[in-house]
Amino acid sequence: MVTRTRFPDDRPSSPCPWLPSRRELLALAGGAGLGAALGGTPAQAQQPQGLGAVIASVLGEGQRFDHGRVVEVARVLARRPFVPPPSDLPDVLSGLTFEQYVSIRALPQAIVWGGEGRGFVAEPLHRGFVFTTPVLLFAVEDGITRRVVYDRSKYDLGRINAPANLGDIGFSGFRLHVAGPNGALNEFALVQGATFFRAMGRGQNYGVVARALTLRPAEARGEEFPAFRAFWLERPLAGVSALVVHGLIDSESVSGAVRMTFRPGDMTIVDVETTLFPRVPLEHVGMGGMGASYLHGGMRRRGGDDVRPSVHDVSGLQMLTGTGENLWRPVQNPETLQISAFLDRNPQGFGLVQRERDYAQFQDDDQRWERRSSLWIEPVGEWGQGAVQLIEIPSDSEVNDNVLAYWRPRNAMPPGAEVAVAYRQFWGWAPPVRPPVAIATNSRVGRGGGGRRRRFVVDFTGDTVMAVPLADIRTVLTAAPGTIPSSRLWLYPDRKTVRVSFELDPGPENASEIRLVLEAAGKPLTETWLYRWTP
């Protein structure tokens, strides 16, 4: 367990705009429904023990706000059975197509803090399409809670024939923007669907999807999707470069409170503090979770009929272990589900990273994969024993986030416990600190010399491999099971790169764990390259 930690407001603000695509929206969809909504339908009002009633008594309209009260609401909910609400969204909205949904526009009067000159504004997002779960929104102004009420007249629904008397149907989430002095809005974060949220640095597109909480992914009994049920957005003081958001989570197995501090800039930083109250034993729980898409690239050629040479949000999982070892694991789009666990104690950092930053590697004028934001997690405090878990799911569509990564504690979280976890997220072009050794900048695999052999090419780039004569570099390369019949090194001083080429002979096996690192005088010159080969 980790004590929550707060950080100073020390980052500049300057984010970038984003136009949502079908892929972005589908990736963010999901989650269970909201409990009885504050001011909801008569049927909901008859549930005095529902979520809305609890919020109204502690953090509703006119109440003085404190994050401890969000924690208290989560604690109270955990002592009660989870009751999913009835669906209340008219079919005309829940049945929207993608094109119809993205045509909905928030009018200026819908923007929270619009025109106030506070540097930030929030845009409440309409419900519809796959985003049917209602979410309560509150603004915290001068320490007092104010309900943000849905008003149909504040949205341009275009040709959607929605009823004129929709009532207060709530929202599906919100976007966060930096508001420029000329009225321009630059988007830097999106919170919508389950406990999913995204951010990006200057000049980027959205890439990785973060998860405030991950439960039972890839299990036979099915994954459970906790959902944000309410948010409290603190109105920032003029000139302050941080925006604080408080969220309430609820699901069948757990309730929780989250405090997120957003600092947009060249690299957008988000400090996340989470308090969980399990209803049942949580044996498979993921913290610092994230997902991304990998359709095809150097490590898997699926999509051979695609005009684009590569299609992926990220190229690999980067890790810094508790002992200080730098690891790189290229990700792939496998033929069968693959689950990998990298055991560790008190990890120093991990994340899904896009290392390919050249347009020529993707040649996609629409998606611009080379601009996708990476996400790096730095734990706050000691996380104890557990594993960074990687899940790779077969996919034939680029809209699927088929690569998941998260920290899985070794010990289960018992019901009735209070578990606090804190970490800092870095959203940008690369993690904030480059490893002190050469990094893997390119990984490829293809047909080998014969039979079932496979040929691998790995490029390591950095000053450390340039400081040692090629003859003094030792290749430490293992495969289990399987053998490495041959390997070679090539030096490219103009690119500060050493290329390793080797063949794997898996024999009759259908999986092989490969480990590669270059050394000199017994010390690593490169990060450790890991890979699981499967047919």
Side-chain angles (χ1 to χ4, degrees), residues 250-279:
D250 198 27
S251 75
E252 295 180 9
S253 299
V254 62
S255 64
V258 180
R259 183 181 190 270
M260 299 183 288
T261 303
F262 292 84
R263 299 178 179 84
D266 289 338
M267 177 179 287
T268 293
I269 297 175
V270 184
D271 299 320
V272 182
E273 305 164 73
T274 303
T275 305
L276 299 177
F277 299 94
R279 288 187 171 95

Side-chain angles (χ1 to χ4, degrees), residues 145-193:
T145 300
R146 174 178 68 84
R147 175 82 187 282
V148 180
V149 179
Y150 170 82
D151 184 343
R152 186 188 187 282
S153 68
K154 295 181 179 180
Y155 290 85
D156 179 2
L157 272 61
R159 298 182 178 179
I160 299 171
N161 189 25
N165 57 345
L166 278 173
D168 184 6
I169 62 172
F171 305 96
S172 64
F174 55 90
R175 292 191 181 104
L176 297 177
H177 308 258
V178 165
N182 59 353
L185 298 182
N186 295 317
E187 183 176 347
F188 67 88
L190 171 66
V191 183
Q192 188 181 36

